[in-house]
Amino acid sequence: MAPIDYVRWFGELRSEDVALVGGKNSSLGELYSALSSEGVKVPNGFALTATAYRDALDAAGTWDRLGPLLKDIGKDDIGRLAGNAAAARALVYAATGTGTLRAEIAKAYERLEEQYGAGVAVAVRSSATAEDLPTASFAGQHESFLNVRGADDLFEACRRCFASVFTDRAIVYRNDNGFDHLKIALSVGVMKMVRSDLSASGVAFTLDTETGFRDVIFVTGAYGLGENVVQGRVDPDEFYVHTPTFRNGHRSVLRHSLGRKQQRLIYAAGSGDRSTTNIDTSVSERARYCIDDDDVLKLAGYAIRIEDHYSLRAGHPVPMDIEWAKDGIDGEIYIVQARPETVASRKPTGEFYTYALKGSAKTLITGRAIGEKIASGPVRIVSSARDLASFQAGDVLVADTTSPDWEPVMKGAAGIVTNRGGRTCHAAIVARELGVPAIVGAEGATGALLQGQMITISCAEGEIGRVYQGQVPFEASIVDVGSLARPRMPIMVNLGNPDLAFRTAMRPNDGVGLARMEFIISEHIGIHPMALVQPEKVTSAADRDIISARVARYSSPSDFFIETLAEGVGMIAAGFYPKPVIVRLSDFKTNEYARLIGGANFEPKEENPMIGFRGASRYAHPAYAPAFALECAALRQVRETMGLKNVRIMVPFCRRIDEARRVIAAMAENGLRRGEDGLEIYVMCEIPNNVIQIDAFAEVFDGFSIGSNDLTQLTLGVDRDSEIVAFDFDERDPGMLEMLRMAVAGAKRNHRHIGICGEAPADYPEIARFLTQIGIDSISVNPGSVLRTLEVVSEAERTCAATVAPPLPKV
């Protein structure tokens, strides 16, 4: 009779059983034992213990033969590595083919059949005894086998899984991380397969994998079995859920990103590694999300419960990496693996690197940015493992996808570019762990880039990674947060790009003083809002076709605008929550609106758009009021549905008091009532009349933000864009300083918040000193100017005797 430790059921295992069944199986046991009763669905299964592995090798006398095979194998000795690894696997495979193991596996499988039915399909996965420790992730190092049916095939798959402890990549990984090969044992997990071949599967993280931002659940998914997502064979759908507002009871997906989902991995005839096959997805499948919002929110709830459970046991926060699968038969979502996340969560919080391009070049291709770095190097296109021999350290690896077998050479890559894959694929995971910049899902990269061509890959410009032609100069610097000066005055940021929200929020700041709606409209929507309200008035057939294609997934063209704008604003608000985020309503000029798709049919031609039909004058005007209603609907969705009540709204270019009252009334008609549910409405102080009549404006609005560019332009009568007279544009002019003084004094007199959202305080230390002296409430600058502004204002506070106003009140 075999020792009882040869087989352990999930219900008998807990997380402390790592030494017996490895990290993966002990985690599955923890999930099944502790969280199934709380509604987290986990398929049942069992583990073959590390004892079974060791006893088999002991009985066969295998250890003495393994030692010489594994000694001093370097990753560069590819020929010897491959031969010795194959020999080691053959020894383990032979040693584990015992009658005792066969009988124990057959008995356990029979019990699983009693629960799930005869011939139940199972997944067979490895679980190393040092796997998933906080300092090591063996993910992808060993083999897995899917859709295994019957006791005989299961026995064969388990033997092959045991033998995979000595794959080439696992040997290199252990060498690089200082693990003793002969002290690592393998446990094999056997779990009932979830029929995600008929539905979808993917990975969820309880943080943002690129920045380490902790307040979101990040979900990726694609059709079919999960290996396609993990191995990067497809570009998955991506979703974000904001954790703090979810905990507060708000059930909303913060952001959706549609992936191409090129293939679906399904069951095939046979067993072992021939048990699955990929088929191409249809056009209609690619055009819709693989799961709906209810599924995403259910996964978010699971993820939060799992992290809470592991964090409670550890006594500190434990971000989690979670694999999920949706069963196409019963429609339920199951958790099939959970482990502590070991890369993004371990980034040092006391310092950060900043990368910035110092030149420009032609963009050759784009994709999903992994990391925040920039690197240059020659292109090395790798089509198969045979091409790896010619790879040189410092090359940029360019491939369709990457494989775990390639990891020895990936360590020397300057960067990685793949045609396919999402942010949780193999290439992305390895790139993060190695600290190598990567661009995944760059469709057509292997065709667009040439062997040996010098390129620069940039992951420092937000979610979109760009491959530039040639060697573009860039600058890298490290910032010690502890050494930064932190003034008493709040230093906020100006931001328009939602893709930079999480990254920027993790740097020193006191919130967002200016969130520009125009960037989201121009870059993420691209269509004139009136063309979505009245598409029948668009005369260009080409524009109509573009509009039809972009709105195809939505209930109506208006819904496309509302949801896209809400998600963009929501990402910024979530990134800085609960700090204040002041969102400026659209402030395009007519010539800028006209450049949007369909815009030419709705915009007048003006000789001077800078002082024409812009800002507040549009919102209640019949020519734009229906589009303004869409802006309001999006902001309502952010505050009410998403629960991001840290959003304050700001009205730009408001000329007169009557106009201000009309805008406030229009907002109220569209469900945004000042004072209701804590809503504050500010106004840009950028027209001399805003300063002259500041007492009257203070009766209509809750606060002011000085727009120094327009205020300087209109005070001095200088067109800042004119090459002839732009030299006269100077915020330091005595008349401008008096305007600033009057604005701050008037706001203080009326007990209204007043800040400034321009670069003048960062560019001119004397402006920062002046604003500090007159007691402005906050300064907001572009993210690249925050560090300089912190220093300038700290110095100004040291030299000014004036008392600085308290920070913005907490939401």
Side-chain angles (χ1 to χ4, degrees):
M1 183 176 177
I4 193 169
D5 273 354
Y6 279 13
V7 172
R8 285 286 187 92
W9 288 86
F10 291 168
E12 302 170 322
L13 296 171
R14 298 301 292 262
S15 58
E16 55 266 26
D17 291 318
V18 173
L20 182 64
V21 295
K24 189 177 295 182
N25 286 335
S26 63
S27 181
L28 279 169
E30 184 72 30
L31 289 169
Y32 190 86
S33 302
L35 293 173
S36 292
S37 60
E38 295 184 20
V40 177
K41 292 187 176 294
V42 183
N44 198 8
F46 61 89
L48 299 177
T49 64
T51 306
Y53 170 85
R54 292 192 182 97
D55 284 358
L57 270 61
D58 284 343
T62 305
W63 299 107
D64 291 341
R65 286 177 285 171
L66 283 173
L69 289 171
L70 303 170
K71 186 178 181 181
D72 299 328
I73 298 180
K75 62 186 176 184
D76 298 325
D77 190 358
I78 296 175
R80 183 167 173 259
L81 170 64
N84 287 18
R89 291 195 296 274
L91 288 173
V92 175
Y93 178 81
T96 53
T98 67
T100 300
L101 269 178
R102 180 185 290 274
E104 287 299 307
I105 291 169
K107 185 166 60 175
Y109 182 71
E110 184 179 352
R111 180 172 159 186
L112 206 58
E113 285 183 306
E114 291 173 1
Q115 181 176 356
Y116 291 116
V120 59
V122 294
V124 180
R125 299 180 184 274
S126 65
S127 182
T129 55
E131 192 171 17
D132 299 327
L133 296 180
T135 56
S137 172
F138 288 176
Q141 304 304 321
H142 310 118
E143 300 292 353
S144 296
F145 304 95
L146 305 178
N147 193 30
V148 179
R149 296 175 185 268
D152 291 340
D153 285 347
L154 176 56
F155 178 56
E156 174 69 13
C158 289
R159 293 177 67 191
R160 294 174 66 187
C161 201
F162 276 131
S164 73
V165 71
F166 294 118
T167 61
D168 300 19
R169 57 187 179 269
I171 291 171
V172 171
Y173 185 90
R174 289 197 292 269
N175 282 341
D176 287 348
N177 288 277
F179 290 102
D180 186 333
H181 298 289
L182 302 187
K183 290 183 179 179
I184 301 294
L186 205 71
S187 167
V188 174
V190 178
M191 171 190 277
K192 188 257 180 187
M193 283 288 293
V194 177
R195 292 301 304 271
S196 58
D197 61 308
L198 304 175
S199 185
S201 57
V203 185
F205 290 85
T206 59
L207 46 57
D208 178 47
T209 54
E210 296 316 304
T211 62
F213 181 72
R214 290 285 289 113
D215 282 350
V216 287
I217 307 298
F218 176 51
V219 177
T220 67
Y223 298 118
L225 303 171
E227 297 301 302
N228 275 353
V229 175
V230 175
Q231 296 301 331
R233 299 190 192 104
V234 299
D235 306 330
D237 295 333
E238 297 180 351
F239 312 89
Y240 282 105
V241 176
H242 187 228
T243 309
T245 48
F246 187 96
R247 290 185 185 276
N248 290 339
H250 292 275
R251 296 295 181 264
S252 176
V253 176
L254 181 64
R255 190 181 202 181
H256 307 71
S257 296
L258 187 71
R260 286 178 288 172
K261 306 180 295 294
Q262 298 94 325
Q263 294 180 310
R264 177 197 291 266
L265 188 64
I266 61 171
Y267 291 166
S271 63
D273 59 359
R274 296 181 301 278
S275 63
T276 59
T277 186
N278 259 313
I279 61 172
D280 291 340
T281 50
S282 66
V283 173
S284 62
E285 285 176 321
R286 298 181 191 192
R288 64 176 183 267
Y289 292 103
C290 64
I291 54 176
D292 61 23
D293 282 10
D294 288 342
D295 292 329
V296 175
L297 295 171
K298 179 177 283 189
L299 272 168
Y302 284 177
I304 289 171
R305 270 177 272 176
I306 291 168
E307 180 181 296
D308 286 350
H309 176 78
Y310 277 79
S311 299
L312 182 64
R313 287 181 63 88
H316 57 81
V318 180
M320 298 297 292
D321 170 352
I322 301 162
E323 295 178 23
W324 62 270
K326 182 175 181 178
D327 195 298
I329 296 175
D330 64 19
E332 293 288 351
I333 288 181
Y334 294 87
I335 301 302
V336 296
Q337 186 51 254
R339 61 180 71 86
E341 197 279 339
T342 57
V343 179
S345 59
R346 298 183 65 81
K347 289 182 179 179
T349 56
E351 61 185 33
F352 59 88
Y353 286 88
T354 61
Y355 288 79
L357 289 168
K358 293 301 179 181
S360 60
K362 179 183 177 182
T363 300
L364 301 177
I365 203 155
T366 63
R368 295 273 189 177
I370 304 300
E372 305 175 17
K373 295 183 178 180
I374 302 172
S376 297
V379 169
R380 180 61 59 189
I381 298 174
V382 177
S383 301
S384 69
R386 291 189 300 273
D387 299 326
L388 296 175
S390 60
F391 190 90
Q392 300 292 317
D395 288 350
V396 176
L397 191 156
V398 180
D400 186 46
T401 63
T402 63
S403 162
D405 294 317
W406 298 7
E407 289 179 27
V409 301
M410 293 170 73
K411 297 176 188 297
I416 299 167
V417 181
T418 65
N419 290 337
R420 294 187 284 170
R423 288 188 288 162
T424 56
C425 73
H426 173 264
I429 291 169
V430 172
R432 285 189 207 100
E433 189 165 328
L434 298 176
V436 173
I439 299 175
V440 300
E443 186 176 13
T446 52
L449 304 178
L450 304 176
Q451 197 79 272
Q453 177 184 16
M454 181 61 68
I455 60 171
T456 297
I457 70 173
S458 173
C459 298
E461 302 169 76
E463 183 177 296
I464 303 301
R466 292 176 171 83
V467 177
Y468 293 103
Q469 182 172 286
Q471 192 165 356
V472 183
F474 65 91
E475 181 179 80
S477 58
I478 187 170
V479 177
D480 180 2
V481 175
S483 67
L484 291 176
R486 296 304 299 266
R488 289 169 291 168
M489 181 188 298
I491 305 300
M492 307 172 81
V493 295
N494 303 330
L495 196 62
N497 187 349
D499 297 338
L500 296 176
F502 298 164
R503 185 174 301 173
T504 306
M506 296 178 71
R507 309 285 168 85
N509 73 85
D510 293 295
V512 179
L514 173 62
R516 302 184 187 94
M517 190 180 284
E518 302 86 55
F519 182 93
I520 303 168
I521 294 174
S522 64
E523 298 298 318
H524 293 262
I525 296 172
I527 302 170
H528 194 290
M530 285 301 294
L532 295 168
V533 175
Q534 300 172 335
E536 70 280 359
K537 292 188 177 181
V538 177
T539 57
S540 165
D543 284 356
R544 289 198 302 270
D545 289 343
I546 294 172
I547 293 170
S548 296
R550 291 195 186 176
V551 306
R553 296 196 317 273
Y554 297 84
S555 300
S556 69
S558 294
D559 284 347
F560 162 69
F561 182 93
I562 293 168
E563 292 182 28
T564 307
L565 181 57
E567 290 189 3
V569 173
M571 286 287 283
I572 297 174
F576 292 83
Y577 184 91
K579 296 174 184 176
V581 172
I582 302 171
V583 179
R584 185 176 69 188
L585 296 167
S586 63
D587 193 26
F588 282 127
K589 301 164 193 67
T590 51
N591 58 325
E592 295 168 332
Y593 265 121
R595 287 196 289 267
L596 295 173
I597 294 167
N601 295 110
F602 298 96
E603 294 298 326
K605 293 192 183 329
E606 296 184 302
E607 291 297 324
N608 194 344
M610 186 71 77
I611 54 174
F613 188 40
R614 62 174 286 201
S617 63
R618 299 181 73 95
Y619 305 146
H621 193 284
Y624 191 79
F628 182 63
L630 304 186
E631 291 186 31
C632 293
L635 292 170
R636 284 186 60 193
Q637 185 168 321
V638 172
R639 285 182 50 87
E640 298 170 13
T641 307
M642 295 180 178
L644 295 163
K645 293 185 171 58
N646 57 324
V647 164
R648 302 169 186 184
I649 300 174
M650 184 155 64
V651 177
F653 220 76
C654 187
R655 296 175 172 95
R656 302 174 61 247
I657 297 300
D658 285 347
E659 186 174 68
R661 293 196 176 103
R662 286 197 298 273
V663 170
I664 292 293
M667 292 177 69
E669 289 172 8
N670 286 293
L672 293 173
R673 293 175 179 80
R674 178 187 170 203
E676 189 173 283
D677 205 14
L679 175 61
E680 293 185 7
I681 301 177
Y682 289 10
V683 66
M684 291 289 292
C685 185
E686 56 189 342
I687 299 170
N689 199 38
N690 299 144
V691 179
I692 294 166
Q693 293 205 81
I694 196 162
D695 295 321
F697 279 102
E699 293 180 8
V700 183
F701 296 103
D702 298 295
F704 300 88
S705 182
I706 297 170
S708 57
N709 284 341
D710 273 342
L711 187 58
T712 303
Q713 182 169 240
L714 295 173
T715 298
L716 301 181
V718 173
D719 180 356
R720 65 178 184 268
D721 295 328
S722 168
E723 295 180 3
I724 298 175
V725 298
F727 68 90
D728 269 334
F729 181 90
D730 192 339
E731 294 99 328
R732 296 168 296 179
D733 185 271
M736 260 307 296
L737 295 180
E738 178 61 13
M739 276 289 185
L740 294 175
R741 187 198 66 76
M742 291 170 60
V744 172
K748 295 288 186 183
R749 184 169 61 248
N750 289 279
H751 308 289
R752 293 289 184 260
H753 170 84
I754 185 163
I756 187 170
C757 54
E759 290 298 288
D763 293 339
Y764 304 115
E766 57 268 45
I767 293 286
R769 284 193 292 270
F770 178 75
L771 291 170
T772 302
Q773 187 174 22
I774 63 177
I776 199 165
D777 291 326
S778 65
I779 291 174
S780 188
V781 295
N782 292 329
S785 302
V786 168
L787 301 184
R788 183 168 71 250
T789 306
L790 288 171
E791 294 175 358
V792 168
V793 174
S794 294
E795 175 62 25
E797 288 181 350
R798 286 192 292 270
T799 58
C800 291
T803 301
V804 179
L808 290 167
K810 297 290 186 183
V811 176

